[in-house]
Amino acid sequence: MQIHWHRDDLRAADNRGLAAAADAAAGTDGASGTAPSGGVLPVFVLDDGVLEYAGDARVRFMLDALDSLRAWYRDHGSDLLVVRGDPASILSALAREHDADRVVWNKGYSGFARDRDDRVRDALDDEGVEYDSFHDAIFHEPGSITTNAGDPYSVFTYFGRKWLDRPKADPVDAPDASALADVDGDPLPAIEELGFAAPDADVETAGTDAARDRLDTFCADGIFRYDEDRDYPTRGAVSRLSAHLAWGTIGIREVYAATEAAMERAENGGADVAGFTPEEQVDSVEEFQSQLAWREFYTHVLYFNPEVVTENYKEYEHDIEWRDDPEELRAWKRGETGYPIVDAGMRQLLDEAYMHNRVRMIVASFLTKDLRIDWRAGYDHFRTHLVDHDTANDNGGWQWAASTGTDAQPYFRIFNPMSQGERYDPDAEYITQYVPELRGVDADTIHEWHELSPVERAQVDTDYPAPIVDHSERREEALSMFEAARGDD
């Protein structure tokens, strides 16, 4: 028998570890097409070491994804065993109980994942059970894209060029039912049994079918407008695949293959997307593919620098003197800063466990530059509330915004939250969707909110708060803060 340990690969199709386990199981008797070795036993471990850092919305999505995956296994004459505890103890015990020949899983690249995998290997060694891990979540393993000197890249541009030029593996098929073990699993635990509550946020649908629906919808339209429209939160030009990639309800090879099919459509005369030439559509598909490269770049950065989860990637001569202001941090978390685009983003996070990417950059800049609060406070808040939390990408994004990360924006580039709102939400559609106090207020007034006098704001007759800080003043303070950390005279 082969045991496949599911982690953040909650799918059957395009799963390289699962496919390898199925091939090994079925290959013991290729003539009959059956699995004399007992087939593949699929297992998911509810690891308290992971749950410790989760939030209600993410756990809800995880349980729904597990439910969807379990349904697939049951439709194919098997089941998904879901067990809570320490993976090392559970997997070694299951291997002993089922007389397993081997335990397989797909590789994780964070320091936490690698330490956990080492403990699992040690436990399986003690049992005399073989094991193997497979490269699955990204196209190119850490260490495979390097500088000419053989070092990991710290600048995306050069990494991205090589990433785009490298051949990409094709998706792999889901295993046949004949390769799966005939087992029965226990019911999934309720979210409350795991120490969490039903989330206040409206969590999106999990599972491979939902992911494929997202991908199909995006590749029919949004991908061809992506380069032009992706920064505008109301234009619907983003894939919304982030949660599915984070939890692995869809494979990266399947996603990339769909983008290549879209590329072919664009190159052969263009898709039926009004206002965009075939050349512009090709550029848009390439831009989306480059975002997949960014995702992989940050995974490589995390692999070679696991300490970045808690430490600045970039070294400054002196410590950055972040402010400790619980009241301002609380206002930011609640979406009550008096800066409409910031508050809309923070409330979207609370409402949907998701935030548009351009707005993520805006709110992160506001926290680290306007409020001068440590990026780690923002990262922790996002980790708790985002259903699509991914350690490498979230950490990379936060350190980019804070000017502490690899290939980060320069410390002197500070987003003006009002001009960002005016540029990317000119009619205030996004703002008023999430900030109901401003519904009925004209867009110009919303975008000028920081410039209005107390009397003028009172005349608008809304409960929306005044700005908690002056952006111009805080910008100068942020510049001084970073210059002091750099040791500038």
Side-chain angles (χ1 to χ4, degrees):
M1 174 175 285
Q2 306 276 314
I3 293 177
H4 178 71
W5 174 25
H6 281 282
R7 293 112 67 85
D8 51 2
D9 60 336
L10 302 184
R11 64 186 184 279
D14 195 23
N15 187 320
R16 298 180 76 177
L18 179 61
D23 287 346
T28 55
D29 188 352
S32 67
T34 61
S37 68
V40 178
L41 174 65
V43 175
F44 183 86
V45 180
L46 292 162
D47 183 350
D48 287 324
V50 174
L51 293 173
E52 179 183 354
Y53 296 102
D56 296 341
R58 196 145 50 98
V59 173
R60 177 72 276 156
F61 188 93
M62 176 193 71
L63 289 172
D64 291 347
L66 288 171
D67 188 54
S68 176
L69 179 60
R70 183 182 60 172
W72 186 91
Y73 277 119
R74 288 180 171 180
D75 287 344
H76 289 75
S78 185
D79 207 341
L80 175 68
L81 300 190
V82 178
V83 188
R84 185 175 187 178
D86 172 58
S89 300
I90 288 172
L91 291 167
S92 58
L94 286 173
R96 182 171 60 252
E97 177 185 349
H98 293 276
D99 195 22
D101 302 301
R102 185 174 65 152
V103 178
V104 304
W105 61 87
N106 290 315
K107 293 180 181 179
Y109 300 105
S110 69
F112 175 91
R114 289 152 66 189
D115 290 344
R116 176 185 58 185
D117 293 357
D118 285 343
R119 290 190 295 103
V120 170
R121 291 186 184 97
D122 289 342
L124 294 175
D125 280 336
D126 290 342
E127 291 291 332
V129 177
E130 294 184 5
Y131 50 79
D132 207 350
S133 58
F134 293 85
H135 171 59
D136 175 77
I138 54 178
F139 277 109
H140 308 294
E141 285 199 79
S144 64
I145 298 181
T146 62
T147 67
N148 293 337
D151 298 321
Y153 276 107
S154 60
V155 175
F156 171 75
T157 303
Y158 306 110
F159 176 95
R161 288 172 185 166
K162 289 187 177 180
W163 187 93
L164 288 168
D165 288 343
R166 297 283 176 91
K168 303 293 185 293
D170 293 327
V172 296
D173 293 333
D176 292 333
S178 60
L180 302 175
D182 182 9
V183 294
D184 293 313
D186 294 326
L188 291 176
I191 192 170
E192 294 81 5
E193 294 177 68
L194 300 179
F196 296 87
D200 294 328
D202 184 12
V203 177
E204 64 181 289
T205 303
T208 298
D209 289 344
R212 286 173 169 167
D213 286 345
R214 289 274 192 198
L215 181 61
D216 290 346
T217 299
F218 178 61
C219 287
D221 175 55
I223 196 170
F224 301 112
R225 301 183 287 109
Y226 186 78
D227 192 29
E228 177 71 22
D229 289 350
R230 65 191 174 102
D231 282 325
Y232 297 84
T234 61
R235 293 188 182 178
V238 295
S239 72
R240 290 295 299 265
L241 286 169
S242 53
H244 296 286
L245 287 171
W247 282 105
T249 53
I250 195 167
I252 188 63
R253 290 158 297 279
E254 183 172 344
V255 171
Y256 191 83
T259 70
E260 286 289 273
M263 179 76 80
E264 185 175 357
R265 289 173 57 198
E267 291 173 338
N268 291 336
D272 186 20
V273 180
F276 293 85
T277 67
E279 293 77 13
E280 290 171 332
Q281 293 174 25
V282 168
D283 290 343
S284 283
V285 177
E286 289 178 342
E287 180 57 36
F288 179 74
Q289 290 178 337
S290 77
Q291 295 303 308
L292 297 179
W294 267 105
R295 174 178 177 270
E296 203 149 310
F297 172 68
Y298 281 140
T299 302
H300 286 219
V301 170
L302 178 64
Y303 180 86
F304 289 107
N305 306 274
E307 73 281 355
V308 296
V309 176
T310 57
E311 300 177 16
N312 295 334
Y313 176 90
K314 183 182 295 184
E315 291 186 4
Y316 284 88
E317 185 173 341
H318 307 292
D319 290 339
I320 299 173
E321 295 185 0
W322 301 110
R323 295 176 63 253
D324 179 16
D325 192 317
E327 288 300 318
E328 289 185 2
L329 178 60
R330 189 175 299 111
W332 177 81
K333 288 180 177 181
R334 292 177 176 174
E336 297 174 352
T337 68
Y339 284 88
I341 192 72
V342 173
D343 293 340
M346 298 307 295
R347 296 190 195 186
Q348 182 184 25
L349 175 62
L350 297 177
D351 289 350
E352 300 174 9
Y354 168 83
M355 191 189 302
H356 184 273
N357 190 60
R358 165 56 61 169
V359 187
R360 294 189 197 202
M361 292 190 283
I362 295 170
V363 304
S365 178
F366 188 83
L367 181 73
T368 57
K369 305 295 176 61
D370 286 71
L371 303 186
R372 292 171 42 216
I373 291 175
D374 196 328
W375 62 266
R376 282 159 278 230
Y379 173 79
D380 288 345
H381 185 69
F382 271 32
R383 181 181 59 194
T384 299
H385 291 280
L386 279 175
V387 75
D388 63 10
H389 168 72
D390 174 278
T391 300
N393 285 283
D394 277 2
N395 181 269
W398 270 102
Q399 294 223 43
W400 180 89
S403 302
T404 61
T406 176
D407 210 7
Q409 72 168 343
Y411 75 92
F412 50 80
R413 281 192 57 201
I414 298 175
F415 284 4
N416 181 319
M418 301 308 296
S419 61
Q420 289 283 311
E422 188 171 12
R423 178 177 181 181
Y424 295 111
D425 189 27
D427 297 323
E429 296 175 73
Y430 175 79
I431 290 170
T432 53
Q433 178 179 354
Y434 296 102
V435 185
E437 304 98 297
L438 293 175
R439 292 173 190 167
V441 180
D442 67 89
D444 288 342
T445 300
I446 291 173
H447 295 310
E448 295 169 358
W449 193 253
H450 66 304
E451 297 177 347
L452 300 182
S453 69
V455 173
E456 289 172 323
R457 279 194 286 268
Q459 290 173 344
V460 177
D461 191 24
T462 176
D463 293 331
Y464 186 66
I468 62 172
V469 296
D470 182 289
H471 170 70
S472 297
E473 292 178 0
R474 287 299 179 90
R475 180 182 185 279
E476 295 305 314
E477 292 174 7
L479 291 174
S480 296
M481 178 181 75
F482 279 97
E483 287 165 358
R486 284 162 46 91
D488 295 350
D489 293 334

